[in-house]
Amino acid sequence: MANDPVDTNPENYRVAFENELVRVLEYTDIPGHKTTEHSHPDSVMITLSAFRRRITSNGNSVEVELPPGVVRWLPAQDHSGENIGETETHTFFVELKGSARPADSQAPQPLGPSGS
């Protein structure tokens, strides 16, 4: 991936889990910290702490404030961010690598172990 956040901002992002379907990144920062521009594929963000930040992409900026415990869909994007709040940020990003079910699959698979 171009501008992989683990490479561009290694002090903030770490790979917490990865397999052929997803990569889970843990993100932390402190007030005043700015990231360099980086890319995310389609992802689900899970906030563990409240935070306030400015997100900048393609010359446009938006301020975001979220409480802990929010789960939010994020479409693929390139951006940089700045912690403009008074608290540390702690989030997880579940980055999707592709369809979880092959297109030629005939039926959904069970969500847990099957009993035999």
Side-chain angles (χ1 to χ4, degrees):
M1 173 188 348
N3 295 321
D4 185 332
V6 175
D7 295 333
T8 62
N9 298 276
E11 68 282 5
N12 304 103
Y13 284 95
R14 79 169 184 89
V15 177
F17 176 83
E18 185 168 14
N19 67 19
E20 64 279 356
L21 301 174
V22 299
R23 180 172 79 158
V24 179
L25 300 181
E26 181 177 22
Y27 176 82
T28 58
D29 74 11
I30 59 173
H33 179 77
K34 297 178 184 180
T35 62
T36 58
E37 185 169 306
H38 56 277
S39 302
H40 291 281
D42 288 340
S43 305
V44 174
M45 178 181 66
I46 304 149
T47 64
L48 298 178
S49 67
F51 65 81
R52 203 172 112 219
R53 55 193 312 100
R54 181 177 298 116
I55 306 295
T56 303
S57 179
N58 297 321
N60 298 312
S61 293
V62 63
E63 291 187 8
V64 177
E65 186 168 359
L66 292 172
V70 170
V71 178
R72 180 174 281 183
W73 172 256
L74 299 175
Q77 59 186 273
D78 295 310
H79 67 242
S80 60
E82 177 182 3
N83 183 335
I84 58 172
E86 297 177 8
T87 61
E88 295 181 2
T89 303
H90 191 190
T91 63
F92 280 97
F93 293 89
V94 180
E95 298 182 333
L96 305 181
K97 291 184 175 182
S99 175
R101 194 176 90 176
D104 63 347
S105 176
Q106 304 225 350
Q109 299 298 311
L111 296 176
S114 60
S116 343

